[in-house]
Amino acid sequence: MALSGAGKERPQAVIRSILTEVGRKVYGDIRSDKDVILTAMYDAGRAAYIVDEAHKFLVQPKNSSANYASNITATLMELATSNNFKPSRNHVAEVEASIRNSISRLEKEKAAIDELISHCNPEHDQAKIKQHEANLQRKAERLAMEETALHMLETGIPDPCLNLAGSSTPVKLSQMVNTDNIDNGLLARAIVIDCGESRSPLNTALTGVDVALLNINERNDIVRDVSLIAADADRFRQSSVEKEFNGEEPTLEVVATEEAIHAISMIERHYDQDRYRNH
């Protein structure tokens, strides 16, 4: 949360750059609840957004866009709190036809490429064969993605992960804090970072300096750490899929430090006080 023109876009750009560098897709504006569902289906259950003017998902204006914002908020909440997200029937019917058409088209394209390869001379058409095989591999990967999406559409998206970062201004935030927005649960799950009530002056010392090179060692450390976390998450998700296929229960053991356990215990006791539970 910061004043308009205070530079909120800069940290958003840095986060987006780091996530892209480690191979994580991050999206901008959310156009509809269907957009959120498709994002999670095609990105292994992940839905990561960096949104400007995030208050639009919370403030419910008395106009035709109210229902649009309400549908997005409800979908975000279900995605954030469910261990198996199942799209509504109208979304299933709408998306299923599109996916099946894509699968049918990709299968025909693969068959056509196989036919082209069969007519190539193994001795004289090596370059052409390699080109066809590379194209065939891309089609196979896309087909597998569509088939996975269709499976999720039928059985649900297992263990979905929602990450939503957004910006707002103090004036807009004050409009968010009302009974309706608190009761729907999304605002209660947000961490609000107040960047102050003033705009920082321009740093003229950076004129002509490539800011991408500033603190490059610290940035590289962050990229490395995020890459390791992403790789661990991918390995766990892959092992979970394999165990599910074999009829086993996926397991993930996270051992908390004593300091973390103590901190969580203090937070629980603090918010279990009557003034927080009932007021």
Side-chain angles (χ1 to χ4, degrees):
M1 179 182 69
L3 296 175
S4 178
K8 297 186 291 294
E9 71 283 353
R10 177 57 186 165
Q12 293 178 3
V14 172
I15 294 171
R16 186 180 290 109
S17 173
I18 290 175
L19 290 176
T20 301
E21 191 169 335
V22 302
R24 281 294 185 259
K25 295 178 182 178
V26 57
Y27 301 88
D29 199 10
I30 301 175
R31 300 296 183 181
S32 66
D33 53 340
K34 178 184 174 183
D35 181 25
V36 178
I37 295 169
L38 290 175
T39 297
M41 283 174 52
Y42 283 99
D43 195 14
R46 293 183 292 258
Y49 293 93
I50 297 179
V51 182
D52 194 22
E53 299 183 356
H55 47 264
K56 62 186 175 184
F57 301 131
L58 294 169
V59 178
Q60 304 296 318
K62 295 180 179 179
N63 55 35
S64 59
S65 67
N67 188 52
Y68 148 85
S70 177
N71 288 340
I72 293 178
T73 302
T75 302
L76 291 174
M77 276 298 302
E78 188 173 357
L79 197 67
T81 59
S82 173
N83 59 6
N84 188 278
F85 175 79
K86 293 186 177 181
S88 61
R89 291 183 62 183
N90 62 326
H91 282 128
V92 169
E94 183 179 353
V95 175
E96 183 179 9
S98 175
I99 293 178
R100 291 193 182 278
N101 286 337
S102 295
I103 290 175
S104 177
R105 186 186 70 252
L106 288 166
E107 288 175 340
K108 291 177 182 177
E109 291 174 352
K110 280 188 61 185
I113 296 173
D114 283 329
E115 183 70 15
L116 290 174
I117 293 175
S118 69
H119 288 88
C120 290
N121 188 311
E123 295 182 2
H124 305 292
D125 297 328
Q126 285 294 327
K128 187 180 294 185
I129 291 174
K130 287 183 179 179
Q131 182 180 0
H132 287 323
E133 288 177 341
N135 192 18
L136 188 65
Q137 179 63 27
R138 288 192 293 269
K139 298 294 183 184
E141 291 173 355
R142 180 63 189 276
L143 180 60
M145 183 184 299
E146 294 289 349
E147 289 174 342
T148 299
L150 182 61
H151 178 71
M152 287 186 179
L153 195 65
E154 295 171 347
T155 63
I157 302 172
D159 301 318
C161 176
L162 170 68
N163 286 282
L164 175 62
S167 61
S168 187
T169 64
V171 173
K172 294 296 184 181
L173 182 64
S174 66
Q175 297 176 9
M176 287 195 243
V177 183
N178 56 55
T179 302
D180 290 338
N181 282 330
I182 292 174
D183 288 345
N184 74 20
L186 189 60
L187 183 60
R189 288 171 170 80
I191 298 176
V192 180
I193 301 175
D194 188 353
C195 297
E197 298 181 358
S198 62
R199 300 176 181 88
S200 300
L202 291 174
N203 190 345
T204 56
L206 295 180
T207 302
V209 175
D210 186 355
V211 295
L213 299 178
L214 294 176
N215 302 319
I216 187 66
N217 292 330
E218 290 84 349
R219 186 185 186 281
N220 289 339
D221 289 342
I222 293 173
V223 171
R224 181 200 62 210
D225 292 343
V226 174
S227 296
L228 291 174
I229 293 171
D232 285 343
D234 287 340
R235 280 194 296 270
F236 171 69
R237 178 169 286 276
Q238 183 62 34
S239 65
S240 296
V241 172
E242 292 174 354
K243 288 186 175 181
E244 181 181 357
F245 180 79
N246 295 326
E248 305 173 14
E249 288 293 329
T251 58
L252 174 64
E253 183 179 5
V254 178
V255 181
T257 63
E258 293 184 4
E259 292 81 1
I261 294 173
H262 178 67
I264 292 296
S265 178
M266 290 181 62
I267 293 172
E268 286 180 343
R269 289 197 299 270
H270 177 77
Y271 285 103
D272 196 41
Q273 298 178 77
D274 181 73
R275 58 182 175 142
Y276 292 109
R277 280 186 288 107
N278 297 306
H279 299 284

